[in-house]
Amino acid sequence: MPLHRHRPHDGSDRPPHLRLQHSFWGLSGLPWRGEEWSVPEKFRRVKEAGFEAVEGWLTPDNEATVAAALQDAGLRLALGHHPHTLDDAKACVRQALRLGADYVFAQPADAFMPPEDAAALVRDARAVAADHGVVYLIETHRNTVTETLPQTLELLRRVPDCAFVADLSHYFVVGEFYGWEQERLPQRFAPILERAVAAHGRISNGEQVQVDIGDGSGPLAKANVALWANAMRAFLKEARPGDYFPFTPELGPPAYAITHPDGSGEISDRWEQSLVMAELARRAWSQASEPVT
């Protein structure tokens, strides 16, 4: 199946564009100080900050409430799940159709699933989604069939047109990468970046999966921007009118977020950091859109 069939599409004739969206999970426990915002308040702030959608995993207990709050805020939905069986994937596709989600992203199974079974699950889940007109993407993630680069390359050998949500932070921490030039990360990540049609914005320093990057001007942020730009550049080569590249700052609460030793809370303001991530995504998109000289 051509890769363009797996790109999120808004049904318009707009030129291919970047779509910023926020993680529902990443809104947990916000703000940094004080009483947690209500769901409508979270979505209001997301909308006012320039995000167009929220991505998240919804349950039967909260899906109606969350969907209504998204509609009230004028935000779209991207739906995630963690399938271990084809029946899991079928259930998520039904949920996506019920809620009008724009696409589904999956974290399949675990790191111990045999390669042939992993490929079959991915292949069959995508076929079910395609039969219902649902775009189905695979997120690169720890403790799934894409835990390591070698595992992911084996998946690609078996499913060459796999389309990814690239969350590179997981590879950084599993591979103990630091963003150094001698690590050759653009080359190592190239097979994934060439098939990435969306990305998650979280930055690892090779030891912790999620670190505060300040204003985003440091070398680690720059290294990630360059990698995201490579993915966006590959996306733009074959993108069609109406295609968009979703970018989601996905900064999780504890234990992803680092906390003070005395238990007094997180050391970083995740909301402000998500805004820095959004700006880095805009920077990456600008780099990707520049003519090649």
Side-chain angles (χ1 to χ4, degrees), residues 32-210:
W32 190 29
R33 304 278 191 260
E35 184 178 353
E36 183 169 0
W37 297 326
S38 67
V39 170
E41 175 70 4
K42 290 174 181 178
F43 290 172
R44 180 186 68 79
R45 291 176 180 270
V46 164
K47 180 70 172 181
E48 289 178 351
F51 296 95
E52 299 179 59
V54 168
E55 74 163 38
W57 303 22
L58 304 185
T59 69
D61 293 333
N62 71 3
E63 67 172 35
T65 300
V66 172
L70 287 171
Q71 185 173 12
D72 289 345
L75 293 166
R76 300 292 302 171
L77 171 67
L79 190 63
H81 76 134
H82 192 162
H84 288 267
T85 67
L86 185 57
D87 284 342
D88 293 338
K90 290 178 178 178
C92 188
V93 169
R94 289 194 297 269
Q95 185 184 37
L97 293 169
R98 185 168 63 247
L99 299 176
D102 292 333
Y103 64 91
V104 167
F105 64 100
Q107 299 174 0
D110 58 44
F112 301 97
M113 177 174 274
E116 61 273 19
D117 295 341
L121 176 58
V122 168
R123 192 182 298 115
D124 293 346
R126 296 195 318 155
V128 167
D131 286 345
H132 291 83
V134 175
V135 171
Y136 193 92
L137 309 179
I138 305 302
E139 180 185 352
T140 59
H141 205 284
R142 288 172 297 158
N143 195 28
T144 75
V145 301
T146 62
E147 176 164 83
T148 68
L149 279 172
Q151 282 176 286
T152 308
L153 294 177
E154 177 60 23
L155 176 64
L156 284 176
R157 189 181 72 80
R158 296 168 184 266
V159 191
D161 66 338
C162 199
F164 291 118
V165 178
D167 189 335
L168 302 181
S169 66
H170 294 288
Y171 292 126
F172 267 74
V173 75
V174 169
E176 202 171 28
F177 297 139
Y178 299 100
W180 297 336
E181 183 177 353
Q182 56 267 39
E183 291 170 335
R184 300 184 296 107
L185 296 184
Q187 292 77 24
R188 283 178 164 170
F189 288 147
I192 295 162
L193 299 177
E194 290 165 0
R195 295 167 175 83
V197 298
H200 280 173
R202 181 192 304 112
I203 290 179
S204 165
N205 62 2
E207 302 295 347
Q208 290 80 35
V209 73
Q210 176 177 305

Side-chain angles (χ1 to χ4, degrees), residues 268-288:
S268 178
D269 186 335
R270 277 187 290 121
W271 173 251
E272 291 300 324
Q273 280 289 286
S274 73
L275 302 184
V276 173
M277 288 289 174
E279 181 55 37
L280 294 181
R282 295 186 187 98
R283 191 180 306 169
W285 186 259
S286 177
Q287 290 181 16

